[in-house]
Amino acid sequence: MIKIKEIKKGTKFLLLVILLYLILGLGDFDLIKNGFLYTLNIFLKIVPILFLLILINFLINKYFKPKSIVKYLGKESGLKGWIFAIFSGILISGPPYILFPLLKDLKRKGMSQPLIAVFLYNRNVKIPFLPVMVYYFGLTYTIVVSFYVIIFSVLNGLLINFFIRKKS
Amino acid sequence: MNNEEALKKSLNTLKSSFPIMVGVLLLVGLANQIFSNRYAEIFNGNLLLDPLKGALAGSISFGIPVTSFIVGGELLSAGVSLIAITAFILAWSTVGIAMLPLEMVTLGKKFSIIRNSICFVFSIIIAILTVWTLNLLNL
């Protein structure tokens, strides 16, 4: 028999969510049915992204050496690291639950936490999504928001650096 | 590192986060069912409370960013203020309550809490600045 302690954290979390679905399903079956269908729809959309992320991760593992990562994104990377983090955040697509493990790997290889924050904040300026934003809100709005996001991504990194150092 | 090792490592990285990924997606699906029809009720035009509410709603409704543009666009057509929608869109992709367990496991508890808190405040500030800038440009 499997003991609860032996179950990994991630699996426990998934089991809790399934339990939540079951409890809610007793009261409103349509709610959980639609929730599940919505989830399935998202999952189908992200399958190509999953393959892309595996490919990116594979290329990073194969060609990026820790020294080169540290050089561009590490604590001693300087201004280039910040610029590299902004562009990486804009260019590398994928939801955070796929990007987090990738960033964990990069962190292990020397990427600093402020640069991870900069990378994640620039998810707001995703090139493939911008036409949708322009369609709904206009070109000027898209440019203004994107400008502020890039500026605030740097502030975000600086604040992360300040708070983490202060707490340490 | 050779091809086989690099591929194995890549797959293992994804495999380890797969149960949380599925759990998070199920939560996102559920949250969208509960909140998606109530957004128009939540935003009532208050210039101070709207961005706060927008940021709160965006933090809960975490998902693919492009979905927030579509939801935001529809809400704008329905008469919801741009300031609330901007905060909503920004918080949607930068603050993630549902994603927090995965972020804490992969990137660290302290980092995740600080980052999400900063992003929440920034989504409100950027929303105010964006609308202010657009007004300045007379758009």
Side-chain angles (χ1 to χ4, degrees):
Chain A
M1 194 176 171
I2 302 169
K3 290 178 184 172
I4 294 175
K5 277 186 179 178
E6 289 171 3
I7 302 171
K8 287 181 181 175
K9 275 183 185 176
T11 312
K12 276 183 195 169
F13 174 69
L14 177 60
L15 289 172
L16 276 174
V17 175
I18 292 169
L19 187 68
L20 179 70
Y21 260 72
L22 290 174
I23 293 167
L24 290 173
L26 292 172
D28 187 350
F29 181 72
D30 279 348
L31 174 77
I32 63 153
K33 191 186 88 180
N34 293 334
F36 179 74
L37 289 174
Y38 186 89
T39 301
L40 195 66
N41 192 33
I42 297 176
F43 200 78
L44 291 173
K45 279 181 193 168
I46 64 162
V47 167
I49 302 169
L50 283 173
F51 282 108
L52 185 67
L53 263 290
I54 290 170
L55 179 69
I56 292 168
N57 214 352
F58 165 78
L59 292 172
I60 288 170
N61 285 329
K62 187 163 171 57
Y63 296 107
F64 276 8
K65 290 177 183 173
K67 278 183 184 174
S68 68
I69 301 283
V70 171
K71 189 179 165 187
Y72 291 111
L73 294 168
K75 283 174 185 168
E76 308 300 326
S77 58
L79 185 65
K80 271 185 186 175
W82 291 77
I83 294 167
F84 197 78
I86 290 169
F87 281 104
S88 306
I90 292 170
L91 295 170
I92 298 175
S93 293
Y97 40 82
I98 296 172
L99 291 177
F100 290 156
L102 181 78
L103 289 169
K104 186 184 178 183
D105 253 12
L106 287 172
K107 187 183 164 190
R108 215 180 291 141
K109 289 170 180 171
M111 186 175 186
S112 68
Q113 285 180 314
L115 294 193
I116 291 175
V118 172
F119 177 97
L120 285 173
Y121 206 78
N122 280 292
R123 285 186 71 245
N124 275 307
V125 196
K126 278 282 160 281
I127 291 166
F129 299 157
L130 290 182
V132 182
M133 192 185 252
V134 172
Y135 172 76
Y136 277 109
F137 305 104
L139 183 64
T140 314
Y141 175 88
T142 306
I143 292 168
V144 171
V145 167
S146 302
F147 169 78
Y148 281 127
V149 166
I150 292 169
I151 299 296
F152 275 76
S153 74
V154 177
L155 288 175
N156 194 350
L158 292 171
L159 279 173
I160 288 277
N161 190 36
F162 172 77
F163 284 119
I164 284 177
R165 219 190 307 169
K166 197 180 173 187
K167 282 212 169 189
S168 301
Chain B
M1 194 180 280
N2 65 39
N3 287 349
E4 198 182 330
E5 283 174 336
L7 185 64
K8 202 175 170 183
K9 203 178 170 193
S10 305
L11 290 170
N12 279 339
T13 305
L14 203 65
K15 193 179 151 190
S16 64
S17 61
F18 198 74
I20 295 185
M21 189 194 299
V22 175
V24 164
L25 284 177
L26 284 167
L27 275 182
V28 167
L30 202 59
N32 269 282
Q33 295 310 311
I34 296 167
F35 294 102
S36 62
N37 295 328
R38 295 182 186 172
Y39 292 136
E41 295 170 24
I42 298 166
F43 308 112
N44 53 20
N46 188 309
L47 291 175
L48 292 171
L49 289 176
D50 265 19
L52 181 67
K53 288 176 184 175
L56 281 171
S59 306
I60 296 165
S61 311
F62 202 76
I64 298 167
V66 75
T67 314
S68 72
F69 301 162
I70 297 164
V71 173
E74 297 305 323
L75 286 171
L76 187 69
S77 307
V80 177
S81 62
L82 188 63
I83 200 166
I85 288 165
T86 307
F88 171 74
I89 288 169
L90 293 168
W92 180 296
S93 43
T94 57
V95 186
I97 304 298
M99 299 290 167
L100 208 55
L102 175 64
E103 186 172 353
M104 287 197 291
V105 169
T106 51
L107 300 175
K109 193 178 170 183
K110 190 166 69 179
F111 170 82
S112 307
I113 292 169
I114 294 171
R115 193 191 73 80
N116 277 277
S117 307
I118 293 170
C119 288
F120 182 80
V121 176
F122 276 10
S123 64
I124 296 168
I125 297 171
I126 296 178
I128 294 166
L129 284 172
T130 299
V131 172
W132 177 76
T133 307
L134 290 174
N135 285 338
L136 207 69
L137 296 168
N138 288 322
L139 290 163

Short mmCIF file of all heavy atoms in Angstrom, two decimals, chain B residues 4-28:
data_model
loop_
_atom_site.label_atom_id
_atom_site.label_comp_id
_atom_site.label_asym_id
_atom_site.label_seq_id
_atom_site.Cartn_x
_atom_site.Cartn_y
_atom_site.Cartn_z
N GLU B 4 21.32 12.38 -26.56
CA GLU B 4 20.46 11.52 -25.74
C GLU B 4 20.35 12.06 -24.30
O GLU B 4 19.25 12.16 -23.75
CB GLU B 4 21.04 10.10 -25.72
CG GLU B 4 20.01 9.06 -25.27
CD GLU B 4 20.60 7.66 -25.21
OE1 GLU B 4 21.53 7.38 -26.00
OE2 GLU B 4 20.16 6.89 -24.36
N GLU B 5 21.49 12.44 -23.75
CA GLU B 5 21.50 12.98 -22.38
C GLU B 5 20.71 14.28 -22.29
O GLU B 5 19.93 14.49 -21.35
CB GLU B 5 22.94 13.24 -21.93
CG GLU B 5 23.68 11.98 -21.53
CD GLU B 5 25.16 12.27 -21.24
OE1 GLU B 5 25.69 13.28 -21.76
OE2 GLU B 5 25.76 11.48 -20.52
N ALA B 6 20.94 15.13 -23.31
CA ALA B 6 20.25 16.44 -23.31
C ALA B 6 18.75 16.27 -23.42
O ALA B 6 17.98 16.96 -22.73
CB ALA B 6 20.77 17.28 -24.48
N LEU B 7 18.30 15.32 -24.28
CA LEU B 7 16.87 15.08 -24.45
C LEU B 7 16.26 14.48 -23.18
O LEU B 7 15.18 14.88 -22.75
CB LEU B 7 16.64 14.14 -25.65
CG LEU B 7 15.17 13.90 -26.03
CD1 LEU B 7 14.50 15.18 -26.50
CD2 LEU B 7 15.07 12.84 -27.13
N LYS B 8 16.98 13.52 -22.60
CA LYS B 8 16.50 12.86 -21.38
C LYS B 8 16.32 13.89 -20.25
O LYS B 8 15.32 13.89 -19.54
CB LYS B 8 17.52 11.79 -20.95
CG LYS B 8 16.93 10.72 -20.06
CD LYS B 8 17.95 9.64 -19.79
CE LYS B 8 17.47 8.69 -18.72
NZ LYS B 8 18.48 7.68 -18.38
N LYS B 9 17.28 14.77 -20.14
CA LYS B 9 17.22 15.80 -19.10
C LYS B 9 16.03 16.75 -19.34
O LYS B 9 15.34 17.14 -18.40
CB LYS B 9 18.53 16.60 -19.09
CG LYS B 9 18.79 17.25 -17.76
CD LYS B 9 20.10 17.99 -17.76
CE LYS B 9 20.20 18.84 -16.51
NZ LYS B 9 21.28 19.79 -16.58
N SER B 10 15.82 17.10 -20.61
CA SER B 10 14.71 17.99 -20.96
C SER B 10 13.38 17.35 -20.61
O SER B 10 12.50 18.00 -20.04
CB SER B 10 14.71 18.30 -22.46
OG SER B 10 15.92 18.80 -22.85
N LEU B 11 13.24 16.06 -20.97
CA LEU B 11 11.98 15.35 -20.70
C LEU B 11 11.75 15.19 -19.20
O LEU B 11 10.62 15.31 -18.73
CB LEU B 11 11.98 13.98 -21.40
CG LEU B 11 11.87 14.02 -22.92
CD1 LEU B 11 12.12 12.63 -23.52
CD2 LEU B 11 10.52 14.55 -23.38
N ASN B 12 12.82 14.91 -18.46
CA ASN B 12 12.70 14.75 -17.01
C ASN B 12 12.24 16.03 -16.33
O ASN B 12 11.46 16.00 -15.38
CB ASN B 12 14.03 14.30 -16.40
CG ASN B 12 14.22 12.80 -16.56
OD1 ASN B 12 13.26 12.06 -16.76
ND2 ASN B 12 15.46 12.35 -16.49
N THR B 13 12.75 17.16 -16.83
CA THR B 13 12.35 18.46 -16.27
C THR B 13 10.85 18.65 -16.39
O THR B 13 10.17 19.05 -15.45
CB THR B 13 13.08 19.61 -17.02
OG1 THR B 13 14.47 19.36 -16.97
CG2 THR B 13 12.78 20.96 -16.40
N LEU B 14 10.32 18.31 -17.56
CA LEU B 14 8.90 18.46 -17.81
C LEU B 14 8.08 17.42 -17.04
O LEU B 14 7.03 17.73 -16.48
CB LEU B 14 8.63 18.33 -19.32
CG LEU B 14 7.36 18.99 -19.82
CD1 LEU B 14 7.42 20.50 -19.65
CD2 LEU B 14 7.14 18.66 -21.28
N LYS B 15 8.60 16.20 -17.00
CA LYS B 15 7.91 15.09 -16.34
C LYS B 15 7.70 15.40 -14.85
O LYS B 15 6.64 15.15 -14.29
CB LYS B 15 8.76 13.82 -16.49
CG LYS B 15 8.04 12.55 -16.13
CD LYS B 15 8.98 11.37 -16.35
CE LYS B 15 8.66 10.23 -15.41
NZ LYS B 15 9.71 9.19 -15.44
N SER B 16 8.72 16.00 -14.22
CA SER B 16 8.64 16.27 -12.78
C SER B 16 7.57 17.31 -12.45
O SER B 16 7.00 17.31 -11.37
CB SER B 16 10.00 16.72 -12.26
OG SER B 16 10.37 17.93 -12.86
N SER B 17 7.29 18.22 -13.40
CA SER B 17 6.30 19.26 -13.12
C SER B 17 4.93 18.93 -13.72
O SER B 17 4.00 19.73 -13.60
CB SER B 17 6.79 20.60 -13.65
OG SER B 17 6.96 20.53 -15.03
N PHE B 18 4.80 17.75 -14.33
CA PHE B 18 3.56 17.40 -15.03
C PHE B 18 2.33 17.32 -14.11
O PHE B 18 1.28 17.89 -14.45
CB PHE B 18 3.74 16.11 -15.83
CG PHE B 18 2.71 15.92 -16.89
CD1 PHE B 18 2.73 16.66 -18.05
CD2 PHE B 18 1.68 15.00 -16.71
CE1 PHE B 18 1.75 16.50 -19.03
CE2 PHE B 18 0.70 14.83 -17.68
CZ PHE B 18 0.74 15.58 -18.84
N PRO B 19 2.39 16.63 -12.95
CA PRO B 19 1.20 16.57 -12.09
C PRO B 19 0.73 17.94 -11.64
O PRO B 19 -0.47 18.22 -11.64
CB PRO B 19 1.67 15.74 -10.88
CG PRO B 19 2.85 15.00 -11.35
CD PRO B 19 3.51 15.86 -12.37
N ILE B 20 1.66 18.82 -11.29
CA ILE B 20 1.27 20.18 -10.88
C ILE B 20 0.68 20.93 -12.07
O ILE B 20 -0.30 21.65 -11.95
CB ILE B 20 2.46 20.95 -10.27
CG1 ILE B 20 2.91 20.28 -8.97
CG2 ILE B 20 2.10 22.41 -10.00
CD1 ILE B 20 3.98 20.99 -8.21
N MET B 21 1.30 20.73 -13.24
CA MET B 21 0.81 21.39 -14.45
C MET B 21 -0.66 21.03 -14.71
O MET B 21 -1.49 21.90 -14.95
CB MET B 21 1.68 20.96 -15.64
CG MET B 21 1.43 21.75 -16.91
SD MET B 21 2.17 20.96 -18.33
CE MET B 21 3.88 20.97 -17.90
N VAL B 22 -0.97 19.73 -14.63
CA VAL B 22 -2.34 19.27 -14.86
C VAL B 22 -3.27 19.84 -13.77
O VAL B 22 -4.36 20.33 -14.07
CB VAL B 22 -2.41 17.72 -14.91
CG1 VAL B 22 -3.85 17.25 -15.03
CG2 VAL B 22 -1.58 17.19 -16.06
N GLY B 23 -2.81 19.80 -12.52
CA GLY B 23 -3.60 20.34 -11.41
C GLY B 23 -3.90 21.82 -11.59
O GLY B 23 -5.02 22.27 -11.39
N VAL B 24 -2.87 22.56 -12.00
CA VAL B 24 -3.02 24.00 -12.21
C VAL B 24 -4.02 24.28 -13.34
O VAL B 24 -4.90 25.13 -13.21
CB VAL B 24 -1.64 24.64 -12.52
CG1 VAL B 24 -1.81 26.03 -13.11
CG2 VAL B 24 -0.81 24.71 -11.26
N LEU B 25 -3.90 23.51 -14.42
CA LEU B 25 -4.82 23.70 -15.55
C LEU B 25 -6.27 23.41 -15.14
O LEU B 25 -7.19 24.11 -15.56
CB LEU B 25 -4.43 22.79 -16.71
CG LEU B 25 -3.21 23.23 -17.53
CD1 LEU B 25 -2.87 22.21 -18.59
CD2 LEU B 25 -3.45 24.58 -18.18
N LEU B 26 -6.45 22.39 -14.30
CA LEU B 26 -7.80 22.08 -13.82
C LEU B 26 -8.35 23.21 -12.95
O LEU B 26 -9.53 23.56 -13.05
CB LEU B 26 -7.78 20.77 -13.02
CG LEU B 26 -7.68 19.49 -13.85
CD1 LEU B 26 -7.34 18.29 -12.96
CD2 LEU B 26 -8.97 19.21 -14.61
N LEU B 27 -7.47 23.83 -12.13
CA LEU B 27 -7.90 24.97 -11.30
C LEU B 27 -8.25 26.18 -12.17
O LEU B 27 -9.22 26.88 -11.90
CB LEU B 27 -6.78 25.36 -10.34
CG LEU B 27 -6.68 24.62 -9.01
CD1 LEU B 27 -5.55 25.20 -8.17
CD2 LEU B 27 -7.99 24.71 -8.23
N VAL B 28 -7.45 26.39 -13.21
CA VAL B 28 -7.71 27.51 -14.13
C VAL B 28 -9.07 27.31 -14.80
O VAL B 28 -9.87 28.24 -14.90
CB VAL B 28 -6.58 27.62 -15.19
CG1 VAL B 28 -6.99 28.55 -16.33
CG2 VAL B 28 -5.30 28.11 -14.56
#
